[in-house]
Amino acid sequence: MGNPKAFLTIPRQEAGYRPIHERITDFSEVEQTLNTSDRKLQASRCMDCGVPFCHWACPLGNRPPEFQDAMYKGKWEEAFQILSRTNDFPEFTGRICPALCEKSCVLQLSIHAPVTIREDEAAIIEAAFREGYIKPKHYPRNGKKVAVIGSGPAGLAAANQLNKKGYEVTVFEKLEYIGGLLRFGIPNFKLGKNIIDRRIRLMEAEGVTFKPNTEITVQKLPEGFDAYCVCTGTPQARDLAIPGRDLKGIHFAMEMLAQQNRVLAGQTFTKEERIDARGKHVLVIGGGDTGSDCIGTSNRQGAASVTQIEIMPKPPVGDNPATPWPQWPVVLKTSSSHEEGCTRRWSLSSTKFIGKNGHVCGVEVEEVEWVPAEGGGRPVMKPTGKKEVIKADLVLLAMGFLKPEAPQLPPNAFLAGDAATGASLVVKCIAGGRKAAESIDRFLSPKN
C-alpha cells in the first residue's frame, strides 16, 4: 500500500445522509458523497492484510485491497479496471449492498471502524462514467443465441457476461421497464432509476437486446435460442393468513414499493388503486430491509405515524457472540429510513386484523418468547397471552418471500439468482448470474 500506516492516523469517515428534514420531502437518493481528497484518504486506510477477509466475504470475490490502493494513488482508471473484473454493476452494489466485505474487515474486528469499501466502490464507478473510462465495446460474435428470462440483477449480470463472450443475447422482461427488483423493489431514495437506465443504455450499445412487456413461461421457452438463463426471481411474497386478511388497506410491501416507483416514473393510478400513507397510521409487519423501505416510503408520502413490528426478538447491539467476526453479524441495524421516524418493536406475533366498515383499523398482536430448543437448533416460539391492539389504517406485509419450486427445465436452460436460491442479496444475484453465464458458455462451447 502507498501508506501502510494510514489506518493508525485516519479515522473512518462516512459520507452520511442528507438532512432528515430535507430528504423526507423527496425521493432523491439520501446518501451523500465525499470529495475526491477525502475519498482517497479513506481508501488509504486499507491495511493490505495478509489474509484479505473482505475478499473472502464478498460473493463476487471483489478485491478491495487492490482497487483501493490504486484509488489512493490517484490511478482511478486502474481502480475501475480491477473492480470491473469481478463486478458487473458496482453502481448498484456501491449503493445498496449491505457490505459483507466491511463486516469482515480486520479494522472491524480491531476497532469497529472498517474501511469504507462500499462507498469507495461507488466512487470508483461514478468516476469511471464521469471521466469516460467506460465506453461501449463490441465483441466478436460466435453465432449462438441465448435468451435471458428476467431482467433483475441476476439476469442483467448473465446477459452482460454472455454478451462479452460473443453470444447474441436477448433479455425478456414481463413488466413494462427493465430492471426487475432493482427497478420495482428498491425505492428511488436508495437507488435512482437513472442509474439503471444508464447501464441499460450501455448494454444496448454493446449489443444486448431488451424486450420488456414480454411474459415468458418456463413451460414454453421462446424458440430459436441455443440456451436459456432463467432469472425470474421470487415473485410470491409470504402472506399472513389470520382473521381479517380480506379487509381493505392490507397490502404486500412490494405492491406499495413498486407502485410508488411507477408513480415517480410518470404513471397514474386512480384513488381506489393508489396505496397512499398520507395521514394514515401505518403498521409494517416484518423487520427486514423491505420493511425499512416501506417506512421510508410511508414517511415521504406523509404518514401520520409508522410502526414496525417483528416476530423475532430484538437483536443485540454492537457485537453478537453467536455470529463472531468475520461472519456477518446479526445485530441491531438502524437504516436511514428508521432515522426518519418510526416506532420499532420486537417479539410480537400478529393474531388478528381488526376492521371498521370493511377497512382495517387495527391489528391485534401478542407478545411471544423464544425458548431455546432442547439439543440446540432453532428456538421455539412461545405465546405469552399478553395481547394488545396497534392502531393501523394501512398495513404493509414485509415478511419475505417464498422460495419458488425449481421448475423442470431442458438441459440447455439454467437457473440463476433468487429463482435458484430463494430471496437473497443483489450482490449474490449478480454472482449467480455470472456463474450461470459460465455454465452456459461451458455447455455451448465444451472444451476438448
Side-chain angles (χ1 to χ4, degrees), residues 279-341:
K280 297 178 181 177
H281 298 283
V282 180
L283 177 63
V284 179
I285 302 178
D289 289 338
T290 302
S292 170
D293 293 342
C294 289
I295 295 166
T297 301
S298 296
N299 280 324
R300 282 162 178 75
Q301 290 182 350
S305 69
V306 184
T307 302
Q308 182 183 36
I309 63 174
E310 166 63 55
I311 196 170
M312 299 301 293
K314 183 177 180 178
V317 177
D319 294 305
N320 186 347
T323 53
W325 182 92
Q327 298 179 39
W328 172 259
V330 179
V331 295
L332 181 64
K333 177 182 177 182
T334 300
S335 70
S336 62
S337 293
H338 291 134
E339 294 175 352
E340 293 161 4

Side-chain angles (χ1 to χ4, degrees), residues 12 31 96 100 134 136 158 172 178 220 274 276 279 307 340 353 366 368:
R12 175 181 168 95
E31 195 163 17
I96 60 176
L100 286 73
I134 300 176
F172 296 91
I178 298 299
K220 191 177 180 180
R274 189 78 168 94
D276 194 347
T307 302
E340 293 161 4
F353 293 113
E366 180 176 8
V368 298

